[in-house]
Every structure is written in C-alpha cells, then in structure tokens.
Amino acid sequence: EAREVAFGGRSNAGKSSAINVLTGQNKLARTSKTPGRTQLLNYFEVEPRRYIVDLPGFGYAKVPLDLKHKWQRHLEQYLQKRQSLKGLVLLMDIRHPFTEFDQMLVQWCVDSELPLHVLLTKADKLSRGATRNELLAARKKLESLGPHMSVQLFSALSKEGADELRAKLNG
C-alpha cells in the first residue's frame, strides 16, 4: 500500500528547503524567495510507494483571491479524502508560530485524528534560549490537544533536526 506524509505551512515557512534537506537533494523541491511559488500538490517518491507531498503554502502569496479559495478547497479535499495520507508535517517559522492558518491545520489534524509533527523552522534565527522557550511553549500547546502531536526544532541552513525528522517519518 502506498503511504504519504504531507508537508504544509504558510508561504515561506521553509517546506521546500526542508524536503531538500530531508532527501539530501538540493533541487528536488524548488525553493524561492518569493512566497507562494508552490501552487500544486507536488509528490516526491522517496522510496518505492513512499511519498512526501509538498502542499501549496498559504498566507501572503500574491495571487487572486478566487485562486486562493480554489487552492483551499483542493487542500481540504486532499486532507479529508486521501486514504494513503498517514500524517502531516506542519512547518512554522519559529519567529511566528501558530498563525491562524497553522491553528486551522492543527485543529484539522486533531478532528481527523491524523498524526501531526510540527517543525519549528529557521531555528538558527533565534538565540539558544529563545529557541528552547519556543519549543517548550509549542510542546505544551500541542500536548493539550491530543496524543498524536509532536514538535521539534529545525534549520535547513544548519541541517539541525534533520536526523530527528527522518527518524520520525520512518516511525
């Protein structure tokens, strides 16, 4: 049976960079300084019948509102109906965690009992103490929501957290 894990998050949260670090390929998922470049569901086969799905970023992508609504409908259909979907990795910029969109996806995972793993990305942008505080606050928030929730620090730049993410996905 095919199995897939979706990578979601706001525009510019670091989804494509994380996928590239995870797979050890620099240009597998296209990165861009322009938010909202990923506009389709992009499937990457990482092993036979094992997929990572790069979801379109939401937030401040400069696209018409009707296109944003269309993306949102596609995303909801995908998340609700996809049988092979085994979990969601939600990427949040550590400097701006739990935006309205992030909370919407977290709640969707809670409601559908879909395992959720949060990556607090760009961990290299804050001091050690600040990253620790953000991690503890996020962990506390997620633990109150349900059993299939976890969180970790991640930096595509320093590759911090890559091994932890691989272990989580392999589990």
Side-chain angles (χ1 to χ4, degrees):
E1 135 200 43
R3 298 167 66 91
E4 59 199 50
V5 173
F7 277 57
R10 277 182 53 87
S11 298
N12 248 24
K15 293 179 300 298
S16 298
S17 297
I19 289 169
N20 289 338
V21 167
L22 183 66
T23 60
Q25 296 185 46
N26 287 343
K27 294 194 165 79
L28 182 66
R30 289 187 55 199
T31 60
S32 171
K33 292 203 184 318
T34 307
R37 280 286 182 226
T38 304
Q39 297 185 6
L40 305 166
L41 298 178
N42 291 311
Y43 288 77
F44 302 104
E45 189 173 31
V46 290
E47 288 178 10
R49 303 182 60 70
R50 299 288 182 266
Y51 298 89
I52 289 175
V53 183
D54 188 6
L55 303 176
F58 283 87
Y60 46 80
K62 291 181 175 137
V63 295
L65 198 57
D66 59 335
L67 185 57
K68 276 190 188 178
H69 290 309
K70 186 177 171 189
W71 285 355
Q72 201 153 353
R73 282 193 305 277
H74 280 309
L75 181 63
E76 285 171 10
Q77 279 186 323
Y78 168 78
L79 291 173
Q80 289 170 350
K81 300 203 165 67
R82 190 76 178 175
Q83 296 295 311
S84 52
L85 182 63
K86 301 303 178 196
L88 177 70
V89 175
L90 176 57
L91 291 88
M92 298 181 203
D93 185 323
I94 193 165
R95 299 163 300 177
H96 314 286
F98 295 102
T99 64
E100 187 179 347
F101 172 73
D102 296 330
Q103 291 184 58
M104 189 178 78
L105 275 180
V106 168
Q107 191 57 52
W108 187 88
C109 287
V110 169
D111 294 343
S112 60
E113 299 179 6
L114 185 72
L116 171 72
H117 186 62
V118 172
L119 291 186
L120 293 175
T121 63
K122 306 183 184 191
D124 53 278
K125 304 273 189 205
L126 296 179
S127 70
R128 271 272 176 242
T131 57
R132 191 92 197 118
N133 290 342
E134 289 295 338
L135 178 63
L136 292 173
R139 189 169 285 146
K140 188 173 182 182
K141 184 173 188 121
L142 290 171
E143 283 174 354
S144 70
L145 295 173
H148 306 294
M149 311 255 159
S150 54
V151 61
Q152 72 166 87
L153 298 173
F154 189 84
S155 167
L157 197 63
S158 69
K159 302 197 179 8
E160 174 188 3
D163 291 339
E164 186 180 343
L165 176 58
R166 274 188 207 97
K168 187 74 181 173
L169 292 177
N170 286 334

